Each structure stands twice: as C-alpha cells, then as structure tokens.
Amino acid sequence: MKRGDILWAFILILCIFIMLSPMTGDKFIKFTTEHAYIGGFIKFFILATMGELLAIRISTGNWKMPCGLIYRAIIWGFLGMCITLFFSIFQNGVQGAMASGLLPKSDSRLITAFLTSATTNLTFGPVMMAFHRVTDTYIDMKYENKGSRISLGKVIEKVDWKGFISFVVLKTIPLFWIPAHTLTFWLPSEYRILAAAMLSIALGAILAFAKKSKRAEQSI
C-alpha cells in the first residue's frame, strides 16, 4: 500500500464522516437540501474527482494528477448540478406517467425506483456521458497541443465512439447504472445526489479495471 492510498482513503472517510455523522450530517443535509445546486456541485466536485483519481491509480498502478484536474473537477460539479435537476424531473415525471397509465402503476417503492432509474439512464444518461467524454477529450487535447486551437470537430473525431457505445452505453447502463440508480431512487430524496456521487467512485474503479483488462488482452 502506497502513501497515496492511505491519503485517498482518509479523504474519503473524512468526506463520509462530514456528510453522514450525527455531529455534522444533519447540518450538511439541511444545507444541501436548501441549496440543492450548490450541494450537487460540491458532492460531485469532490467525490467524482476522487473516483477519477482512483481510476488512474488502478489502471496505471500509481497516483497521478490528470492534466487539467481543476477543470475536470469543475465539469463534474456542473454535472452534479444537472443531475440534481434531472433526478427531480424524472422522479416526478415517472410518478406522473404512472398515475396517468403511461407506465405500469404500482405501490411498490422499488418498482417506482426501477422505472425512474431505467427512464433516466436510457435518456439523460447517454447524453450526459457523451458530454463528459467530449469535455474530457477536449482537456486532453488542449494539454497535448498547447498553443493550438482545438475545434469541436477535432474533439468529436478524437473520441472513441465505438468504445463509448459498445461499453459505456450498452454495458455500464444496463449492468451497472440502472441497478445502482434503482437503489439510489429507493433512498430518501435528500440522500440521492450523495449516493449518485458515491457511485461515480465505483464506476471509476469499474472503468479502470476494464481498461486494464483490455490492455492485458492486447498484450497477449
């Protein structure tokens, strides 16, 4: 175990303690409920960025700061704000569709959570992931080609859309995101964005292991 492993784990435990402990948890939940967008930004700015650092640690074996880390963190925070909004839209929308008969009616919280998760991840999910893939690629290209103007067209050409569709969309959405967000939407509303931010850490690990396995297969 490296020093960075201990530091990363300490920061994660500290964040969880602040967000959920009896001493500070209620105040944190109250603040992020009253200021939902700020709360969403903070949660994803910190936790999703930690997931990105973990992914690099797993895939390379070392702790490395990715280029443009602060910009990546800000983008994660922005996505946290978007997720805060769209979680509410899809939660209320699915309940409305169920009430009007457009979706199967059920008194089960779990079924409602599943329908909300499936609807969210099959519509908003791919758009959000594609946006994040484009912004990450832009940051990479900007640092690789310092001083050069990077056009949107060049960024789009650089993105591995085949891998994005075949793995991120067709595998992580049905096998990870829909089940994981079913549990997220099953939670009380004040904990959903926090749970979603925590899931980004898990996803970072999954993507890193997948990338590492792919490299191992190619080297055989």
Side-chain angles (χ1 to χ4, degrees):
M1 180 177 289
K2 298 184 178 182
R3 184 183 302 175
D5 300 341
I6 298 173
L7 178 60
W8 188 93
F10 173 77
I11 295 173
L12 179 62
I13 292 170
L14 179 62
C15 290
I16 294 173
F17 178 82
I18 293 172
M19 295 172 182
L20 298 178
S21 77
M23 289 183 287
T24 58
D26 289 343
K27 293 180 181 178
F28 182 82
I29 293 298
K30 183 175 184 294
F31 173 80
T32 55
T33 300
E34 293 176 351
H35 308 279
Y37 285 126
I38 296 175
F41 185 94
I42 292 172
K43 292 167 189 173
F44 273 81
F45 182 92
I46 297 173
L47 295 175
T49 302
M50 290 184 68
E52 196 158 324
L53 293 173
L54 178 63
I56 295 172
R57 169 67 175 92
I58 293 171
S59 61
T60 67
N62 296 297
W63 291 101
K64 296 179 181 178
M65 292 290 183
C67 59
L69 179 62
I70 186 62
Y71 299 114
R72 297 176 192 272
I74 290 171
I75 289 169
W76 271 122
F78 170 73
L79 291 175
M81 295 170 67
C82 294
I83 290 169
T84 299
L85 172 62
F86 281 95
F87 267 27
S88 177
I89 289 174
F90 280 98
Q91 174 71 29
N92 293 320
V94 165
Q95 290 178 350
M98 292 172 72
S100 62
L102 295 174
L103 287 173
K105 294 182 180 180
S106 175
D107 294 328
S108 169
R109 281 181 58 204
L110 187 59
I111 291 176
T112 302
F114 169 76
L115 291 173
T116 306
S117 175
T119 304
T120 304
N121 282 290
L122 294 174
T123 53
F124 169 67
V127 175
M128 188 205 78
M129 293 174 186
F131 171 80
H132 193 234
R133 182 63 63 93
V134 168
T135 56
D136 271 1
T137 302
Y138 175 81
I139 292 172
D140 289 338
M141 293 179 69
K142 196 69 177 176
Y143 278 80
E144 290 171 1
N145 303 276
K146 291 183 178 180
S148 301
R149 183 182 176 188
I150 308 299
S151 67
L152 179 59
K154 290 181 180 178
V155 174
I156 293 174
E157 290 176 3
K158 182 77 171 179
V159 174
D160 177 15
W161 292 111
K162 181 180 178 181
F164 175 78
I165 297 296
S166 63
F167 183 75
V168 176
V169 174
L170 296 182
K171 291 184 179 178
T172 67
I173 286 180
L175 299 178
F176 177 78
W177 283 120
I178 290 179
H181 278 152
T182 296
L183 296 177
T184 300
F185 281 109
W186 183 77
L187 293 171
S189 59
E190 61 268 26
Y191 293 105
R192 289 174 188 163
I193 303 302
L194 175 59
M198 293 294 292
L199 286 173
S200 65
I201 296 179
L203 181 67
I206 292 171
L207 294 176
F209 279 119
K211 187 175 181 180
K212 196 172 183 179
S213 299
K214 185 177 180 180
R215 285 205 305 264
E217 290 175 1
Q218 291 174 344
S219 64
I220 296 175

